[in-house]
Amino acid sequence: MKSLGSYYSEENVRIRLAKNRNKVKTPKHLSREARLYINISTYVTTGNREGFEHWAKINNLKEAARTFNYLSENNLLNYEDFRQHVSDIEASVKVADQRIAQINSDLSTQKIIQKHCDSYRLCRKVIEDCKSAKNPKAYRTKHQAEYQLHDSLKKEFQDLGVTKIPSFNKIQKRIETLESEQTATVREKQELQKKLKTLEIIQQNFTALLNAPEIQIPVSEKEPTL
Protein backbone atom coordinates (compact mmCIF):
# COMPACT_ATOMS: atom_id res chain seq x y z
CA MET A 1 0.00 0.00 0.00
CA LYS A 2 2.91 2.36 0.72
CA SER A 3 4.17 1.90 -2.85
CA LEU A 4 0.82 3.26 -4.18
CA GLY A 5 1.19 6.61 -2.45
CA SER A 6 -0.27 8.40 0.56
CA TYR A 7 -3.86 8.14 -0.76
CA TYR A 8 -3.68 4.39 -0.14
CA SER A 9 -2.01 4.57 3.26
CA GLU A 10 -3.66 2.44 5.94
CA GLU A 11 -4.87 5.49 7.84
CA ASN A 12 -6.47 7.17 4.80
CA VAL A 13 -8.12 3.93 3.66
CA ARG A 14 -9.63 3.46 7.14
CA ILE A 15 -10.99 7.03 7.06
CA ARG A 16 -12.67 6.47 3.69
CA LEU A 17 -14.14 3.13 4.81
CA ALA A 18 -15.58 4.78 7.92
CA LYS A 19 -17.20 7.49 5.81
CA ASN A 20 -18.67 5.06 3.29
CA ARG A 21 -20.02 2.67 5.91
CA ASN A 22 -22.99 4.90 6.76
CA LYS A 23 -23.74 6.29 3.31
CA VAL A 24 -27.45 6.34 2.47
CA LYS A 25 -28.56 4.35 -0.58
CA THR A 26 -31.89 4.69 -2.35
CA PRO A 27 -33.85 1.40 -2.24
CA LYS A 28 -33.28 -0.12 -5.69
CA HIS A 29 -36.64 -1.86 -6.04
CA LEU A 30 -38.62 1.39 -6.23
CA SER A 31 -40.10 2.24 -9.63
CA ARG A 32 -39.10 5.50 -11.28
CA GLU A 33 -42.59 6.17 -12.57
CA ALA A 34 -44.56 5.80 -9.34
CA ARG A 35 -42.67 4.98 -6.18
CA LEU A 36 -43.94 4.05 -2.77
CA TYR A 37 -43.59 6.32 0.19
CA ILE A 38 -40.52 5.47 2.23
CA ASN A 39 -41.07 3.81 5.56
CA ILE A 40 -37.86 4.79 7.31
CA SER A 41 -37.90 1.98 9.86
CA THR A 42 -38.14 -0.57 7.02
CA TYR A 43 -34.74 0.36 5.61
CA VAL A 44 -32.63 1.85 8.39
CA THR A 45 -32.22 0.70 11.95
CA THR A 46 -28.61 1.79 12.50
CA GLY A 47 -26.08 4.04 10.84
CA ASN A 48 -26.76 7.43 9.30
CA ARG A 49 -30.46 7.51 10.22
CA GLU A 50 -30.63 11.31 10.25
CA GLY A 51 -29.31 11.50 6.69
CA PHE A 52 -31.74 8.85 5.51
CA GLU A 53 -34.68 10.57 7.18
CA HIS A 54 -33.79 13.79 5.37
CA TRP A 55 -33.64 11.99 2.03
CA ALA A 56 -36.87 10.07 2.75
CA LYS A 57 -38.82 13.24 3.59
CA ILE A 58 -37.72 14.89 0.34
CA ASN A 59 -38.57 11.72 -1.57
CA ASN A 60 -42.03 11.52 0.00
CA LEU A 61 -42.78 15.14 -0.84
CA LYS A 62 -41.83 14.47 -4.47
CA GLU A 63 -44.00 11.36 -4.57
CA ALA A 64 -46.92 13.26 -3.03
CA ALA A 65 -46.64 15.88 -5.78
CA ARG A 66 -46.26 13.22 -8.47
CA THR A 67 -49.26 11.30 -7.15
CA PHE A 68 -51.42 14.42 -7.02
CA ASN A 69 -50.37 15.43 -10.57
CA TYR A 70 -51.30 11.99 -11.91
CA LEU A 71 -54.72 12.12 -10.28
CA SER A 72 -55.29 15.70 -11.42
CA GLU A 73 -54.23 15.07 -15.04
CA ASN A 74 -56.51 12.03 -15.23
CA ASN A 75 -59.46 13.72 -13.46
CA LEU A 76 -59.33 11.19 -10.62
CA LEU A 77 -59.32 13.49 -7.59
CA ASN A 78 -62.78 12.25 -6.62
CA TYR A 79 -62.48 8.96 -4.71
CA GLU A 80 -65.42 7.30 -6.44
CA ASP A 81 -63.99 8.27 -9.83
CA PHE A 82 -60.66 6.78 -8.80
CA ARG A 83 -62.26 3.48 -7.74
CA GLN A 84 -64.32 3.37 -10.95
CA HIS A 85 -61.17 3.99 -12.99
CA VAL A 86 -59.46 1.05 -11.28
CA SER A 87 -62.51 -1.15 -11.89
CA ASP A 88 -62.62 -0.15 -15.56
CA ILE A 89 -58.97 -1.06 -16.08
CA GLU A 90 -59.41 -4.37 -14.25
CA ALA A 91 -62.38 -5.12 -16.53
CA SER A 92 -60.28 -4.21 -19.58
CA VAL A 93 -57.57 -6.64 -18.45
CA LYS A 94 -60.19 -9.41 -18.24
CA VAL A 95 -61.49 -8.55 -21.72
CA ALA A 96 -57.94 -8.65 -23.08
CA ASP A 97 -57.41 -12.03 -21.40
CA GLN A 98 -60.59 -13.39 -22.99
CA ARG A 99 -59.60 -12.03 -26.40
CA ILE A 100 -56.14 -13.58 -26.15
CA ALA A 101 -57.70 -16.94 -25.27
CA GLN A 102 -60.06 -16.65 -28.26
CA ILE A 103 -57.23 -15.71 -30.61
CA ASN A 104 -55.16 -18.66 -29.38
CA SER A 105 -58.11 -20.97 -30.04
CA ASP A 106 -58.67 -19.51 -33.53
CA LEU A 107 -54.96 -19.78 -34.31
CA SER A 108 -54.93 -23.42 -33.28
CA THR A 109 -57.96 -24.13 -35.47
CA GLN A 110 -56.51 -22.36 -38.50
CA LYS A 111 -53.21 -24.22 -38.18
CA ILE A 112 -55.09 -27.53 -38.00
CA ILE A 113 -57.06 -26.55 -41.13
CA GLN A 114 -53.83 -25.57 -42.87
CA LYS A 115 -52.28 -28.95 -42.05
CA HIS A 116 -55.43 -30.81 -43.19
CA CYS A 117 -55.51 -28.80 -46.43
CA ASP A 118 -51.96 -29.78 -47.28
CA SER A 119 -52.76 -33.45 -46.71
CA TYR A 120 -56.08 -33.19 -48.56
CA ARG A 121 -54.44 -31.71 -51.66
CA LEU A 122 -51.95 -34.58 -51.80
CA CYS A 123 -54.72 -37.15 -51.42
CA ARG A 124 -56.85 -35.37 -54.00
CA LYS A 125 -54.03 -35.47 -56.53
CA VAL A 126 -53.63 -39.22 -55.98
CA ILE A 127 -57.36 -39.72 -56.58
CA GLU A 128 -57.37 -37.58 -59.74
CA ASP A 129 -54.38 -39.48 -61.13
CA CYS A 130 -56.52 -42.63 -60.97
CA LYS A 131 -58.36 -41.36 -64.06
CA SER A 132 -55.26 -41.86 -66.20
CA ALA A 133 -54.21 -45.17 -64.61
CA LYS A 134 -54.10 -48.21 -66.91
CA ASN A 135 -55.62 -50.42 -64.19
CA PRO A 136 -57.86 -48.24 -61.96
CA LYS A 137 -58.73 -51.15 -59.65
CA ALA A 138 -55.08 -52.01 -58.98
CA TYR A 139 -54.31 -48.32 -58.60
CA ARG A 140 -57.00 -47.89 -55.91
CA THR A 141 -55.72 -50.97 -54.07
CA LYS A 142 -52.18 -49.59 -54.13
CA HIS A 143 -53.30 -46.16 -52.83
CA GLN A 144 -55.97 -47.37 -50.40
CA ALA A 145 -54.40 -45.36 -47.52
CA GLU A 146 -54.69 -42.09 -49.47
CA TYR A 147 -58.36 -42.81 -50.29
CA GLN A 148 -59.13 -43.51 -46.63
CA LEU A 149 -57.30 -40.37 -45.49
CA HIS A 150 -59.20 -38.34 -48.11
CA ASP A 151 -62.55 -39.50 -46.72
CA SER A 152 -61.40 -38.91 -43.14
CA LEU A 153 -60.24 -35.37 -43.94
CA LYS A 154 -63.59 -34.56 -45.58
CA LYS A 155 -65.31 -35.44 -42.30
CA GLU A 156 -62.78 -33.35 -40.35
CA PHE A 157 -63.55 -30.35 -42.54
CA GLN A 158 -67.27 -30.78 -41.94
CA ASP A 159 -66.70 -30.85 -38.18
CA LEU A 160 -64.60 -27.66 -38.46
CA GLY A 161 -67.28 -25.92 -40.53
CA VAL A 162 -65.12 -25.76 -43.67
CA THR A 163 -67.30 -26.03 -46.78
CA LYS A 164 -64.66 -24.95 -49.30
CA ILE A 165 -60.96 -25.76 -49.19
CA PRO A 166 -59.14 -22.42 -48.85
CA SER A 167 -56.01 -21.67 -50.83
CA PHE A 168 -52.64 -21.78 -49.12
CA ASN A 169 -52.21 -17.98 -49.39
CA LYS A 170 -55.67 -17.29 -47.97
CA ILE A 171 -55.26 -19.44 -44.88
CA GLN A 172 -51.70 -18.20 -44.36
CA LYS A 173 -52.99 -14.62 -44.40
CA ARG A 174 -55.61 -15.52 -41.77
CA ILE A 175 -52.90 -16.97 -39.52
CA GLU A 176 -50.66 -13.91 -39.93
CA THR A 177 -53.59 -11.57 -39.13
CA LEU A 178 -54.41 -13.53 -35.97
CA GLU A 179 -50.76 -13.56 -34.89
CA SER A 180 -50.55 -9.80 -35.40
CA GLU A 181 -53.72 -9.26 -33.36
CA GLN A 182 -52.39 -11.60 -30.68
CA THR A 183 -49.19 -9.54 -30.34
CA ALA A 184 -51.14 -6.27 -30.17
CA THR A 185 -53.58 -7.62 -27.57
CA VAL A 186 -50.80 -8.99 -25.37
CA ARG A 187 -49.07 -5.60 -25.54
CA GLU A 188 -52.35 -3.87 -24.64
CA LYS A 189 -52.81 -6.18 -21.65
CA GLN A 190 -49.27 -5.44 -20.45
CA GLU A 191 -49.91 -1.68 -20.64
CA LEU A 192 -53.15 -2.07 -18.68
CA GLN A 193 -51.37 -4.12 -16.02
CA LYS A 194 -48.72 -1.42 -15.82
CA LYS A 195 -51.43 1.18 -15.20
CA LEU A 196 -52.96 -0.99 -12.49
CA LYS A 197 -49.59 -1.24 -10.79
CA THR A 198 -49.25 2.55 -10.87
CA LEU A 199 -52.73 2.99 -9.37
CA GLU A 200 -51.96 0.42 -6.69
CA ILE A 201 -48.83 2.37 -5.71
CA ILE A 202 -50.79 5.63 -5.69
CA GLN A 203 -53.42 4.10 -3.42
CA GLN A 204 -50.75 2.78 -1.06
CA ASN A 205 -49.10 6.21 -1.00
CA PHE A 206 -52.31 7.87 0.14
CA THR A 207 -52.93 5.13 2.66
CA ALA A 208 -49.44 5.68 4.07
CA LEU A 209 -49.89 9.46 3.96
CA LEU A 210 -53.14 9.39 5.88
CA ASN A 211 -52.25 6.37 8.01
CA ALA A 212 -55.79 5.11 7.47
CA PRO A 213 -57.32 1.97 5.89
CA GLU A 214 -58.96 4.02 3.14
CA ILE A 215 -57.41 6.68 0.92
CA GLN A 216 -60.24 9.19 0.94
CA ILE A 217 -59.94 12.76 2.19
CA PRO A 218 -63.43 14.13 2.84
CA VAL A 219 -63.61 17.76 1.72
CA SER A 220 -67.36 18.00 1.91
CA GLU A 221 -70.26 16.05 3.31
CA LYS A 222 -71.54 15.02 -0.10
CA GLU A 223 -68.46 14.22 -2.14
CA PRO A 224 -65.40 12.44 -0.66
CA THR A 225 -62.28 12.91 -2.74
CA LEU A 226 -58.73 11.69 -2.83
Side-chain angles (χ1 to χ4, degrees), residues 41 57 61 68 89 95 101 147 196:
S41 61
K57 288 176 182 178
L61 286 173
F68 178 81
I89 294 180
V95 170
Y147 276 87
L196 275 180

Side-chain angles (χ1 to χ4, degrees), residues 54 84 202:
H54 177 71
Q84 184 61 51
I202 287 172

Side-chain angles (χ1 to χ4, degrees), residues 35-70:
R35 298 183 297 185
L36 288 172
Y37 277 45
I38 301 300
N39 184 339
I40 296 172
S41 61
T42 302
Y43 296 101
V44 176
T45 56
T46 61
N48 189 8
R49 183 180 182 85
E50 183 179 350
F52 188 88
E53 287 180 349
H54 177 71
W55 172 85
K57 288 176 182 178
I58 294 175
N59 174 82
N60 288 350
L61 286 173
K62 290 180 180 179
E63 293 312 312
R66 189 179 308 190
T67 298
F68 178 81
N69 287 340
Y70 179 91

Side-chain angles (χ1 to χ4, degrees), residues 150-204:
H150 175 270
D151 294 340
S152 176
L153 288 172
K154 285 181 67 175
K155 186 178 184 307
E156 288 283 346
F157 284 133
Q158 289 177 356
D159 293 341
L160 291 169
V162 178
T163 57
K164 183 179 179 181
I165 305 302
S167 66
F168 174 83
N169 290 337
K170 188 173 183 179
I171 194 169
Q172 184 61 32
K173 188 174 180 180
R174 287 179 189 170
I175 291 174
E176 290 174 356
T177 299
L178 286 169
E179 288 176 338
S180 178
E181 186 178 355
Q182 180 189 52
T183 300
T185 308
V186 169
R187 189 182 299 114
E188 178 187 356
K189 178 187 172 183
Q190 291 171 343
E191 289 298 320
L192 289 167
Q193 289 176 322
K194 187 177 179 181
K195 287 183 179 180
L196 275 180
K197 183 62 178 177
T198 297
L199 293 171
E200 178 184 345
I201 291 174
I202 287 172
Q203 183 166 357
Q204 290 183 51

